[in-house]
Amino acid sequence: MILNIYSPPHMTSAILSGPTSIQRGAPYDPGDGMVQIETEIVSMNLTGFSDMGMMTASTIPMPQSLGLIKQQASGNDYPAESFFDIFYRIELPSVGFQGEAKFPTHHESTINQIPPYGSIYVTNPLQPVPLFDPLNPTDPPIGELIVQFIRVGQPPAPPIEIEIIQLDLQGAGMPILQNSTLGRVQLTMTPPESLKYVNIVADSAGSGVPKWIAQNLPIIPYYLDSIPHCFKTIFDFATIGAVQGIPVSAINIEATLSDIPLTAMPSPMSWTTYAVGDGLYSAEGRPGGPYVFSGGIGDMTLLDFTIPYPIRVECRPGMPNVEAGTNECAPAAAANSFAWLASGEGFSGMPQSRRFSTALKTPAI
């Protein structure tokens, strides 16, 4: 912001930042086939330092600082055009200056999400707006203001609750294998506005040697749902010192949240100690025996979890879950779907003519 004070003559500038609350209305079609959303800045508290001390910027109660978000093309939410007309109040407490605008500063941007985090709203036209003494609003202006642009900052990272579980394994008709070398990470957090990735580095057996136990676990937004959700992934506990049959009591880890998948293990800055809980993994995906864990977790670093926008996540209540072993995800998913159809939709099975069986075959040489 550039502030020009008329008496005594002085020009100063500052970069201001701080919280701003925006209220939005319901989407509607005004009649041109392109949906729009009316917005209003209901509060603003920006602060920064100039050569005259602290500078603050807020909005005046009336007129309202209104805005609009509007589709560029019918049927496509993004990109969208957005603007704000802001009536600024500027204060320099150290010199007793307070000025209010009678005319708005117009800021506009093309946005790709709501809220428009990271978007830059340029001032158009870029010209001085006169400021008036709020105690004598009919007097001549006491200064003028130029705001070059405003940027909508990123939201704070959502808090993450982390649980580390050492799994007991159970197979079909088999005794439980206590304290295996399989571990499970459970993350409970409020889903963010956009796709994020969690990476967790663990301290191997307290040696200070880092191991990458959770690699690019995608945290998918749940639209219209602001409650915390649990995201899980399994890791090889043996790589950080776990021994079959011996319970692990605690583990040192560091978790990071990123906007893109990481291709290299993040370097830990500080360790946080977590107690290790006990959990059960029921490996009963097929009759006849348990899934035997052979050790080692596949390399996830080259997997691309990029998801095109917009993301839509749906939940199917009552869906059963048959846990599966290696290369059993497809038949397990089919079994889950058939079980759901049978329990909730009255589906009694596949027609006899469509039933089939599979068997391992040795290729001809």
Side-chain angles (χ1 to χ4, degrees):
M1 291 186 176
I2 301 174
L3 175 63
N4 183 20
I5 300 175
Y6 293 160
S7 180
H10 188 83
M11 181 173 289
T12 187
S13 64
I15 299 175
L16 279 61
S17 63
T20 300
S21 296
I22 300 173
Q23 181 173 298
R24 53 168 286 186
Y28 70 95
D29 183 351
D32 58 4
M34 289 181 286
V35 174
Q36 64 184 36
I37 300 173
E38 295 177 356
T39 59
E40 178 186 356
I41 296 179
V42 294
S43 68
M44 173 187 287
N45 184 24
L46 309 181
T47 60
F49 286 92
S50 70
D51 63 352
M52 301 182 72
M54 179 181 290
M55 182 187 297
T56 67
S58 57
T59 56
I60 61 177
M62 292 296 293
Q64 298 166 286
S65 294
L66 303 177
L68 189 72
I69 299 172
K70 189 177 182 67
Q71 291 178 337
Q72 289 183 337
S74 179
N76 295 323
D77 290 340
Y78 305 109
E81 298 302 322
S82 178
F83 74 83
F84 288 104
D85 287 329
I86 303 177
F87 292 85
Y88 285 100
R89 172 189 286 140
I90 304 298
E91 297 181 69
L92 286 168
S94 62
V95 297
F97 178 88
Q98 185 180 79
E100 294 183 353
K102 293 183 180 180
F103 308 99
T105 299
H106 183 79
H107 304 282
E108 57 188 36
S109 180
T110 299
I111 65 174
N112 293 292
Q113 62 178 347
I114 299 175
Y117 294 127
S119 297
I120 296 176
Y121 284 74
V122 298
T123 304
N124 186 23
L126 184 61
Q127 61 185 22
V129 173
L131 298 176
F132 297 83
D133 183 349
L135 300 179
N136 300 286
T138 59
D139 287 355
I142 60 174
E144 59 186 16
L145 174 70
I146 298 178
V147 183
Q148 295 172 301
F149 64 89
I150 58 175
R151 179 175 182 177
V152 182
Q154 296 291 347
I160 305 175
E161 295 182 10
I162 300 176
E163 292 181 85
I164 305 296
I165 305 295
Q166 185 177 16
L167 293 172
D168 301 330
L169 303 182
Q170 182 180 33
M174 303 291 291
I176 295 177
L177 180 63
Q178 301 282 350
N179 301 314
S180 77
T181 55
L182 267 183
R184 183 168 63 210
V185 175
Q186 298 183 171
L187 307 172
T188 302
M189 61 184 293
T190 300
E193 295 286 346
S194 60
L195 181 65
K196 302 291 182 183
Y197 300 88
V198 169
N199 287 273
I200 298 180
V201 177
D203 179 3
S204 178
S207 64
V209 178
K211 296 290 185 179
W212 201 358
I213 65 171
Q215 302 181 18
N216 298 319
L217 174 63
I219 307 299
I220 301 174
Y222 282 68
Y223 290 120
L224 304 180
D225 185 350
S226 60
I227 64 174
H229 286 264
C230 186
F231 303 85
K232 303 178 182 179
T233 187
I234 290 179
F235 67 96
D236 186 354
F237 226 140
T239 62
I240 51 175
V243 177
Q244 176 68 54
I246 300 176
V248 179
S249 60
I251 181 176
N252 296 327
I253 66 172
E254 181 178 83
T256 58
L257 196 65
S258 64
D259 294 324
I260 60 175
L262 302 184
T263 57
M265 181 179 68
S267 299
M269 302 299 292
S270 63
W271 298 114
T272 301
T273 302
Y274 286 83
V276 176
D278 186 49
L280 178 66
Y281 184 93
S282 181
E284 298 180 351
R286 56 184 175 84
Y291 162 54
V292 179
F293 178 69
S294 58
I297 297 296
D299 184 5
M300 304 266 296
T301 58
L302 299 180
L303 293 182
D304 183 5
F305 289 109
T306 303
I307 298 179
Y309 295 97
I311 298 171
R312 182 183 180 91
V313 178
E314 296 184 5
C315 178
R316 179 178 292 175
M319 170 63 74
N321 182 39
V322 176
E323 294 182 313
T326 302
N327 298 326
E328 295 178 358
C329 55
N336 289 338
S337 297
F338 284 131
W340 179 81
L341 287 170
S343 63
E345 304 298 320
F347 179 75
S348 58
M350 296 180 64
Q352 184 69 32
S353 60
R354 293 189 180 182
R355 293 186 179 180
F356 62 92
S357 62
T358 59
L360 295 176
K361 296 182 179 179
T362 302
I365 299 177

